[in-house]
Each structure stands twice: as structure tokens, then as C-alpha cells.
Amino acid sequence: MVQVNNEKAQFEALFDKLAADVLAEIESYHLPQDGIDYVKKMLYATVPGGKNNRGMTVPSALRDILKRDLTEQEWFRAATLGWCVELLQAFFLISDDIMDSSITRRGNPCWYRQEGIGMKAINDAFICEMAIYRLIKKHFRTEPYYLDILELFHEVTFQTELGQLMDLITAPEDEVDLAKFSIKKHAYIVEYKTAYYSFYLPVALAMRMGGVTSEKAYKQALDVLLPLGEYFQVQDDYLDCYGAPEVIGKIGTDIQDNKCGWLIVQAIDRASPAQRKILDECYGQKDSAKEAAVKKVYVELDLENVYRKYEEESHGRISALIEKVDESLLPREMFVTFMNRIYKRKL
């Protein structure tokens, strides 16, 4: 049995084995040594180093579903799928940072901004994505749920890409038009860009491993996890503006990057004509003074308290959804653990 109190360290240590598996796959394609060395450096720079909440959710959720501790083999397989989720996250983050011209990630320069990397990072993102399917084939090819987990990764990747598309065309950096922004459009972007891969995917993977086949169970999971994902992303939007960079591990760029975030759609909904004029003139500009002007409007609209009210309402609404979960299909505790992990988080 795996010791739960030491699981984080065990999960992190497993990356060495899985990275070695990926590199062994690459060697079989006769990649020259400098290519292998580059891929190893890239994997270690872009995949580990985060909080690993998505990845660690897979074994945690499987334990809740089975209502017992996991065997070593069960934990290994669940944690392997967890690292596949983290590889998917790396694929998205490498790409997203390039598209957003972001500066820092996890307290370091974004991968594409590191010395000697540049636009090679685009291909690196593709390699991270394909590493998922090499690992799944190696470790799950003979499992009855092999096709199910492949389809899950493909479906969620596509959903996330649609969310990213709407993010990009709603708020291009070179064309600021706040008329395109709305609370409804923000909700779509959040659901498709974040909620499916960050919240539904890890739990659905555990459900497949745990032998859950009821479509009703997957619907109940979605009913709770998508609102949780929305709450998480709204937190992220809030922290981008109000979180300390040394705490959240990145410099907030949503205002200058013309992001269709929660704060700006709330501001648009509440702004006076004079405030709206400031937002139209200053949002999405690579200018610190204009960014400060936008933040001043946020202060005038008291968006910090608007957010705190939203946070409490979300907690109550999601808690009520959890109470409605049919325990004969899924354990409520699995969702409570998820909620407790993100409620009032600071980073």
C-alpha cells in the first residue's frame, strides 16, 4: 500500500522513471544524442515544478472511488496518468506563454524566453503532447479502459483548444475591442479552456480506472467539476491582478495582454460612462500607466469585495451541488477534497 502522507514525494519521484520511459521511446527512433539531451532538458524544465494538483488528483480520486488504500500497482498506474495530465498542462502552458508573450512561469522565465530556446518551444510543446500517448501505450495498452482514456485525453484536449481559440479571437493583443467582452463569453472560455482539463479530466481518468461505467456518474461529476473549474479560473484572474508575484510565481499580465478575464467583464458590467471610457482607452495597452488607470477603476468599483462575495456564493453553490451527488455512484468526499484544496487559495 502507498503511504498517503508521503504521496507527494512519491509522485514527484515517479517523474524520473516516466521521463526515462519517454527518452527510451525517443532513442528507439535513433535520435542523435544532442537531441535526446535537449528533450531531457526540456521535459525537466517544463513538466515538473508546479503544484501538481491536477496530477495528484488521479490517485486521490481513485482512492475515494475504491474506498480503500491503493495497491502499489494501482497507485503507479494512477500516478502515471496523473503525470500524463501534467504533460498535457505543460503542452498548454508552453504554447499559451508564446501566444500571450508572457514573461515568467513558476518564478522563472517562460520556456520560450530561456537562452537558446525561442520558437523551438512550439515543437517542444508538441513533444510533450505526444509523450502522453507514448506513456499510455506503454503502461495501459492491455487494460480494458485503454480506449476510454485515449478518448478522454483527445476530447479534453480539443475542448481546451476551443476555449483557447475563443480567448484569442475575443481578446487579440493587437486589437482591443471591449465590445467583444461579456460575462457569457468569459464563462465559455473558462469552461472550455480550464475546467475540463484541470478538473474533469483527472477525476474521469480515476473513474475509468475504478471501473465506473455509468453515464449518470460522469454527468454528476461534470455538474460539480465544471462550476469548480469556473471558480478556480475566476480566482486565477483575481490573483493575476491582486496576487503578489513572489507568491503566485508569475507577473500578472492580463490587463496589458487584453485578456477577457473575470475582473474586466465585471468592470464593464458596472462601469459608469466615464469609467468605461478609461477602460476602452487603457485596457490591453503595453503601458504601465494605463494598466494603473485600469486598476484604479477596479478600485473605484470595489471589485475586491465583488470577488469576495462571488467566492462565498460559489462555495455555497458548489457545496449544495456536492450534497446532491448520489453516493451509490460516486463518493461525495472526492469532491469535498477538491473544493477544500482551492477554496480561498492564495497562489
Side-chain angles (χ1 to χ4, degrees), residues 39-59:
V39 172
K40 181 176 182 179
K41 174 186 174 183
M42 181 273 293
L43 290 173
Y44 275 89
T46 62
V47 184
K51 295 182 287 294
N52 296 329
N53 284 338
R54 294 169 182 82
M56 291 186 63
T57 292
V58 184

PDB file of all heavy atoms in Angstrom, residues 39-59:
ATOM      1  N   VAL A  39      15.759  17.066 -25.327  1.00  0.00           N
ATOM      2  CA  VAL A  39      14.420  16.674 -24.882  1.00  0.00           C
ATOM      3  C   VAL A  39      14.406  16.464 -23.372  1.00  0.00           C
ATOM      4  O   VAL A  39      13.464  16.884 -22.681  1.00  0.00           O
ATOM      5  CB  VAL A  39      13.938  15.407 -25.615  1.00  0.00           C
ATOM      6  CG1 VAL A  39      12.626  14.902 -25.006  1.00  0.00           C
ATOM      7  CG2 VAL A  39      13.743  15.686 -27.098  1.00  0.00           C
ATOM      8  N   LYS A  40      15.453  15.842 -22.845  1.00  0.00           N
ATOM      9  CA  LYS A  40      15.528  15.635 -21.395  1.00  0.00           C
ATOM     10  C   LYS A  40      15.523  16.974 -20.665  1.00  0.00           C
ATOM     11  O   LYS A  40      14.784  17.168 -19.688  1.00  0.00           O
ATOM     12  CB  LYS A  40      16.782  14.839 -21.036  1.00  0.00           C
ATOM     13  CG  LYS A  40      16.900  14.559 -19.532  1.00  0.00           C
ATOM     14  CD  LYS A  40      18.103  13.674 -19.235  1.00  0.00           C
ATOM     15  CE  LYS A  40      18.178  13.376 -17.733  1.00  0.00           C
ATOM     16  NZ  LYS A  40      19.335  12.503 -17.414  1.00  0.00           N
ATOM     17  N   LYS A  41      16.342  17.902 -21.132  1.00  0.00           N
ATOM     18  CA  LYS A  41      16.392  19.232 -20.515  1.00  0.00           C
ATOM     19  C   LYS A  41      15.022  19.902 -20.584  1.00  0.00           C
ATOM     20  O   LYS A  41      14.550  20.489 -19.596  1.00  0.00           O
ATOM     21  CB  LYS A  41      17.432  20.086 -21.239  1.00  0.00           C
ATOM     22  CG  LYS A  41      17.471  21.544 -20.788  1.00  0.00           C
ATOM     23  CD  LYS A  41      18.425  22.353 -21.655  1.00  0.00           C
ATOM     24  CE  LYS A  41      18.361  23.844 -21.321  1.00  0.00           C
ATOM     25  NZ  LYS A  41      19.233  24.658 -22.204  1.00  0.00           N
ATOM     26  N   MET A  42      14.368  19.794 -21.725  1.00  0.00           N
ATOM     27  CA  MET A  42      13.064  20.421 -21.913  1.00  0.00           C
ATOM     28  C   MET A  42      12.014  19.819 -20.987  1.00  0.00           C
ATOM     29  O   MET A  42      11.245  20.532 -20.334  1.00  0.00           O
ATOM     30  CB  MET A  42      12.633  20.279 -23.373  1.00  0.00           C
ATOM     31  CG  MET A  42      11.282  20.914 -23.705  1.00  0.00           C
ATOM     32  SD  MET A  42       9.850  19.829 -23.415  1.00  0.00           S
ATOM     33  CE  MET A  42      10.110  18.580 -24.668  1.00  0.00           C
ATOM     34  N   LEU A  43      11.974  18.491 -20.892  1.00  0.00           N
ATOM     35  CA  LEU A  43      10.985  17.845 -20.037  1.00  0.00           C
ATOM     36  C   LEU A  43      11.130  18.264 -18.580  1.00  0.00           C
ATOM     37  O   LEU A  43      10.147  18.583 -17.905  1.00  0.00           O
ATOM     38  CB  LEU A  43      11.089  16.322 -20.160  1.00  0.00           C
ATOM     39  CG  LEU A  43      10.636  15.695 -21.479  1.00  0.00           C
ATOM     40  CD1 LEU A  43      10.967  14.209 -21.503  1.00  0.00           C
ATOM     41  CD2 LEU A  43       9.134  15.909 -21.701  1.00  0.00           C
ATOM     42  N   TYR A  44      12.367  18.285 -18.103  1.00  0.00           N
ATOM     43  CA  TYR A  44      12.593  18.639 -16.700  1.00  0.00           C
ATOM     44  C   TYR A  44      12.348  20.122 -16.431  1.00  0.00           C
ATOM     45  O   TYR A  44      12.010  20.513 -15.308  1.00  0.00           O
ATOM     46  CB  TYR A  44      14.000  18.234 -16.259  1.00  0.00           C
ATOM     47  CG  TYR A  44      14.074  16.789 -15.816  1.00  0.00           C
ATOM     48  CD1 TYR A  44      14.345  15.774 -16.736  1.00  0.00           C
ATOM     49  CD2 TYR A  44      13.828  16.425 -14.501  1.00  0.00           C
ATOM     50  CE1 TYR A  44      14.388  14.447 -16.347  1.00  0.00           C
ATOM     51  CE2 TYR A  44      13.875  15.099 -14.099  1.00  0.00           C
ATOM     52  CZ  TYR A  44      14.149  14.110 -15.025  1.00  0.00           C
ATOM     53  OH  TYR A  44      14.181  12.793 -14.625  1.00  0.00           O
ATOM     54  N   ALA A  45      12.477  20.951 -17.469  1.00  0.00           N
ATOM     55  CA  ALA A  45      12.256  22.388 -17.293  1.00  0.00           C
ATOM     56  C   ALA A  45      10.784  22.772 -17.370  1.00  0.00           C
ATOM     57  O   ALA A  45      10.383  23.793 -16.806  1.00  0.00           O
ATOM     58  CB  ALA A  45      13.040  23.169 -18.345  1.00  0.00           C
ATOM     59  N   THR A  46       9.976  21.963 -18.051  1.00  0.00           N
ATOM     60  CA  THR A  46       8.600  22.388 -18.326  1.00  0.00           C
ATOM     61  C   THR A  46       7.513  21.560 -17.653  1.00  0.00           C
ATOM     62  O   THR A  46       6.389  22.045 -17.496  1.00  0.00           O
ATOM     63  CB  THR A  46       8.331  22.357 -19.843  1.00  0.00           C
ATOM     64  OG1 THR A  46       8.477  21.015 -20.332  1.00  0.00           O
ATOM     65  CG2 THR A  46       9.278  23.287 -20.594  1.00  0.00           C
ATOM     66  N   VAL A  47       7.810  20.327 -17.253  1.00  0.00           N
ATOM     67  CA  VAL A  47       6.736  19.468 -16.729  1.00  0.00           C
ATOM     68  C   VAL A  47       6.675  19.475 -15.203  1.00  0.00           C
ATOM     69  O   VAL A  47       5.642  19.866 -14.635  1.00  0.00           O
ATOM     70  CB  VAL A  47       6.858  18.030 -17.284  1.00  0.00           C
ATOM     71  CG1 VAL A  47       5.680  17.186 -16.795  1.00  0.00           C
ATOM     72  CG2 VAL A  47       6.910  18.046 -18.805  1.00  0.00           C
ATOM     73  N   PRO A  48       7.729  19.091 -14.471  1.00  0.00           N
ATOM     74  CA  PRO A  48       7.652  19.189 -13.011  1.00  0.00           C
ATOM     75  C   PRO A  48       7.844  20.639 -12.568  1.00  0.00           C
ATOM     76  O   PRO A  48       8.117  21.517 -13.392  1.00  0.00           O
ATOM     77  CB  PRO A  48       8.810  18.306 -12.545  1.00  0.00           C
ATOM     78  CG  PRO A  48       9.803  18.377 -13.653  1.00  0.00           C
ATOM     79  CD  PRO A  48       9.012  18.531 -14.928  1.00  0.00           C
ATOM     80  N   GLY A  49       7.678  20.873 -11.279  1.00  0.00           N
ATOM     81  CA  GLY A  49       7.923  22.213 -10.750  1.00  0.00           C
ATOM     82  C   GLY A  49       6.676  22.983 -10.394  1.00  0.00           C
ATOM     83  O   GLY A  49       6.737  24.027  -9.748  1.00  0.00           O
ATOM     84  N   GLY A  50       5.511  22.483 -10.811  1.00  0.00           N
ATOM     85  CA  GLY A  50       4.263  23.123 -10.424  1.00  0.00           C
ATOM     86  C   GLY A  50       3.726  22.516  -9.135  1.00  0.00           C
ATOM     87  O   GLY A  50       4.423  21.759  -8.445  1.00  0.00           O
ATOM     88  N   LYS A  51       2.478  22.830  -8.814  1.00  0.00           N
ATOM     89  CA  LYS A  51       1.885  22.295  -7.582  1.00  0.00           C
ATOM     90  C   LYS A  51       1.442  20.841  -7.760  1.00  0.00           C
ATOM     91  O   LYS A  51       1.183  20.139  -6.777  1.00  0.00           O
ATOM     92  CB  LYS A  51       0.698  23.166  -7.171  1.00  0.00           C
ATOM     93  CG  LYS A  51       1.115  24.588  -6.788  1.00  0.00           C
ATOM     94  CD  LYS A  51      -0.062  25.438  -6.339  1.00  0.00           C
ATOM     95  CE  LYS A  51      -0.962  25.832  -7.489  1.00  0.00           C
ATOM     96  NZ  LYS A  51      -0.320  26.726  -8.466  1.00  0.00           N
ATOM     97  N   ASN A  52       1.304  20.396  -9.003  1.00  0.00           N
ATOM     98  CA  ASN A  52       0.928  19.009  -9.328  1.00  0.00           C
ATOM     99  C   ASN A  52      -0.463  18.624  -8.824  1.00  0.00           C
ATOM    100  O   ASN A  52      -0.765  17.437  -8.681  1.00  0.00           O
ATOM    101  CB  ASN A  52       1.965  18.003  -8.783  1.00  0.00           C
ATOM    102  CG  ASN A  52       3.318  18.172  -9.424  1.00  0.00           C
ATOM    103  OD1 ASN A  52       3.426  18.561 -10.586  1.00  0.00           O
ATOM    104  ND2 ASN A  52       4.375  17.908  -8.672  1.00  0.00           N
ATOM    105  N   ASN A  53      -1.312  19.612  -8.567  1.00  0.00           N
ATOM    106  CA  ASN A  53      -2.650  19.297  -8.070  1.00  0.00           C
ATOM    107  C   ASN A  53      -3.453  18.468  -9.066  1.00  0.00           C
ATOM    108  O   ASN A  53      -4.175  17.543  -8.676  1.00  0.00           O
ATOM    109  CB  ASN A  53      -3.415  20.582  -7.747  1.00  0.00           C
ATOM    110  CG  ASN A  53      -2.958  21.222  -6.453  1.00  0.00           C
ATOM    111  OD1 ASN A  53      -2.392  20.558  -5.592  1.00  0.00           O
ATOM    112  ND2 ASN A  53      -3.193  22.512  -6.312  1.00  0.00           N
ATOM    113  N   ARG A  54      -3.332  18.794 -10.349  1.00  0.00           N
ATOM    114  CA  ARG A  54      -4.086  18.031 -11.353  1.00  0.00           C
ATOM    115  C   ARG A  54      -3.631  16.574 -11.350  1.00  0.00           C
ATOM    116  O   ARG A  54      -4.439  15.656 -11.336  1.00  0.00           O
ATOM    117  CB  ARG A  54      -3.893  18.654 -12.732  1.00  0.00           C
ATOM    118  CG  ARG A  54      -4.482  20.042 -12.896  1.00  0.00           C
ATOM    119  CD  ARG A  54      -4.031  20.694 -14.197  1.00  0.00           C
ATOM    120  NE  ARG A  54      -4.560  22.050 -14.350  1.00  0.00           N
ATOM    121  CZ  ARG A  54      -4.018  23.130 -13.787  1.00  0.00           C
ATOM    122  NH1 ARG A  54      -2.932  23.017 -13.038  1.00  0.00           N
ATOM    123  NH2 ARG A  54      -4.559  24.327 -13.974  1.00  0.00           N
ATOM    124  N   GLY A  55      -2.320  16.378 -11.402  1.00  0.00           N
ATOM    125  CA  GLY A  55      -1.794  15.027 -11.472  1.00  0.00           C
ATOM    126  C   GLY A  55      -2.095  14.199 -10.244  1.00  0.00           C
ATOM    127  O   GLY A  55      -2.499  13.029 -10.341  1.00  0.00           O
ATOM    128  N   MET A  56      -1.923  14.792  -9.076  1.00  0.00           N
ATOM    129  CA  MET A  56      -2.138  14.046  -7.833  1.00  0.00           C
ATOM    130  C   MET A  56      -3.615  13.768  -7.572  1.00  0.00           C
ATOM    131  O   MET A  56      -3.941  12.906  -6.754  1.00  0.00           O
ATOM    132  CB  MET A  56      -1.508  14.797  -6.666  1.00  0.00           C
ATOM    133  CG  MET A  56       0.013  14.807  -6.707  1.00  0.00           C
ATOM    134  SD  MET A  56       0.746  15.558  -5.244  1.00  0.00           S
ATOM    135  CE  MET A  56       0.169  14.438  -3.967  1.00  0.00           C
ATOM    136  N   THR A  57      -4.490  14.468  -8.274  1.00  0.00           N
ATOM    137  CA  THR A  57      -5.917  14.203  -8.121  1.00  0.00           C
ATOM    138  C   THR A  57      -6.282  12.805  -8.608  1.00  0.00           C
ATOM    139  O   THR A  57      -7.205  12.182  -8.070  1.00  0.00           O
ATOM    140  CB  THR A  57      -6.740  15.255  -8.886  1.00  0.00           C
ATOM    141  OG1 THR A  57      -6.579  16.509  -8.239  1.00  0.00           O
ATOM    142  CG2 THR A  57      -8.220  14.897  -8.947  1.00  0.00           C
ATOM    143  N   VAL A  58      -5.562  12.271  -9.593  1.00  0.00           N
ATOM    144  CA  VAL A  58      -5.934  10.961 -10.141  1.00  0.00           C
ATOM    145  C   VAL A  58      -5.829   9.873  -9.078  1.00  0.00           C
ATOM    146  O   VAL A  58      -6.829   9.177  -8.806  1.00  0.00           O
ATOM    147  CB  VAL A  58      -5.121  10.611 -11.405  1.00  0.00           C
ATOM    148  CG1 VAL A  58      -5.621   9.293 -11.999  1.00  0.00           C
ATOM    149  CG2 VAL A  58      -5.214  11.726 -12.444  1.00  0.00           C
ATOM    150  N   PRO A  59      -4.670   9.667  -8.419  1.00  0.00           N
ATOM    151  CA  PRO A  59      -4.646   8.641  -7.358  1.00  0.00           C
ATOM    152  C   PRO A  59      -5.549   8.983  -6.183  1.00  0.00           C
ATOM    153  O   PRO A  59      -6.161   8.088  -5.583  1.00  0.00           O
ATOM    154  CB  PRO A  59      -3.170   8.581  -6.941  1.00  0.00           C
ATOM    155  CG  PRO A  59      -2.538   9.822  -7.474  1.00  0.00           C
ATOM    156  CD  PRO A  59      -3.325  10.210  -8.678  1.00  0.00           C
TER     157      PRO A  59
END
